[in-house]
Amino acid sequence: MGNVRELMARLGPSTVKFDTGRGGMPDLTNQDIAAALGMVPAGLGRELLEACWWPDGAALRRHRLRDAVIALVTPELRRQQRKLADARTDLGLAEVCMGWAGVVTAEQRAERDRAAHRLVQVKAQCWPISTLESLPTLAAAVIGEIAKCPHCQGCEGRGETMSGELLKICKVCRGSGLGAVSDRRRAVAIGRDEAAYRRTWKPVFEWLLTRMVEAEQEAAWHMRSALGQAA
Ligand SMILES: [Zn+2]
């Protein structure tokens, strides 16, 4: 993936230094690179590839990145809201049943306790209420992490390691090529303190990061393939 990222950076005006062929890459013109980028399927991955590695180009159509992030998050938010509404309804029904005939049975009480417990569990699994408002900040922090994250030391950012004669997915980074980033650094990136990050924001941040890394890598693969670089 490293080559694709360098090529993307080469499209930026400030990185002309990449214009000399590197690492056995054939000499490609910026038009070749732009054409290969055009072969990457539209969607989150391509937007991320551009936002991470070609900031000047992506800046021109930020709304497409925004739309792609919203499209990624919306089904999960709706799923959580439905689950929460169901759990609330179940608890309400259990409570109604308890008082229905005057006498409360042990079974009814147990049913109510189960429903109450379930609601607590579901609430704990839901993202914070303010996730939507915080989405621009979260997305920017995730993109910044993908773009600036140090390489994984296990595979030097390649995502793969040699095992004998076989290429294997790197176990340290699980193929992402990205080095570990601390909770403290992520908290700073989204403007929260570390305790608040761990308590409230960590699950949604990691959810976004996992999916955005996957999407960006898939797009990078398409681009590499379009450039005739596929293994
Ligand atoms: Zn690795």
Side-chain angles (χ1 to χ4, degrees):
M1 294 299 156
N3 284 340
V4 170
R5 289 168 179 178
E6 281 185 7
L7 285 168
M8 292 297 295
R10 193 160 100 175
L11 283 170
S14 61
T15 49
V16 184
K17 61 177 187 273
F18 287 117
D19 266 337
T20 53
R22 284 168 59 105
M25 296 279 301
D27 270 335
L28 295 162
T29 65
N30 283 358
Q31 281 93 332
D32 292 334
I33 301 167
L37 186 61
M39 305 287 283
V40 176
L44 180 65
R46 190 164 96 186
E47 296 306 318
L48 287 170
L49 203 57
E50 295 191 16
C52 289
W53 310 106
W54 187 20
D56 299 321
L60 298 174
R61 39 205 196 89
R62 263 286 121 93
H63 65 283
R64 283 173 50 175
L65 177 63
R66 177 202 65 199
D67 291 348
V69 171
I70 288 175
L72 172 72
V73 163
T74 306
E76 174 61 17
L77 266 179
R78 287 200 202 287
R79 189 192 66 81
Q80 291 183 9
Q81 292 307 316
R82 268 197 307 270
K83 231 175 140 184
L84 192 58
D86 284 351
R88 286 205 172 106
T89 304
D90 288 346
L91 178 58
L93 290 171
E95 282 169 345
V96 164
C97 288
M98 278 177 79
W100 198 273
V103 184
V104 177
T105 67
E107 196 184 333
Q108 287 171 337
R109 213 183 291 278
E111 186 56 43
R112 193 268 321 265
D113 290 349
R114 265 199 298 278
H117 180 65
R118 171 114 189 94
L119 178 58
V120 170
Q121 279 184 322
V122 169
K123 273 186 183 166
Q125 288 162 3
C126 284
W127 291 343
I129 305 269
S130 55
T131 293
L132 266 185
E133 297 138 65
S134 306
L135 205 51
T137 309
L138 287 164
V142 169
I143 293 165
E145 182 167 323
I146 297 172
K148 294 186 206 113
C149 184
H151 284 170
C152 165
Q153 297 191 337
C155 62
E156 292 170 343
R158 285 189 294 269
E160 295 167 325
T161 49
M162 289 301 287
S163 170
E165 302 213 328
L166 289 172
L167 262 183
K168 286 201 167 166
I169 299 284
C170 171
K171 281 182 190 149
V172 181
C173 63
R174 286 178 288 174
S176 73
L178 301 173
V181 174
S182 68
D183 285 350
R184 190 173 50 81
R185 198 164 132 188
R186 286 178 179 164
V188 170
I190 62 164
R192 311 270 170 179
D193 63 58
E194 192 177 345
Y197 172 78
R198 288 193 187 188
R199 188 178 57 240
T200 311
W201 296 99
K202 191 176 162 94
V204 60
F205 188 97
E206 291 182 351
W207 188 96
L208 277 172
L209 182 69
T210 302
R211 279 150 190 85
M212 285 163 80
V213 164
E214 275 170 12
E216 190 261 350
Q217 285 184 331
E218 200 185 320
W221 182 88
H222 278 290
M223 181 149 170
R224 192 169 57 168
S225 173
L227 286 166
Q229 299 277 309

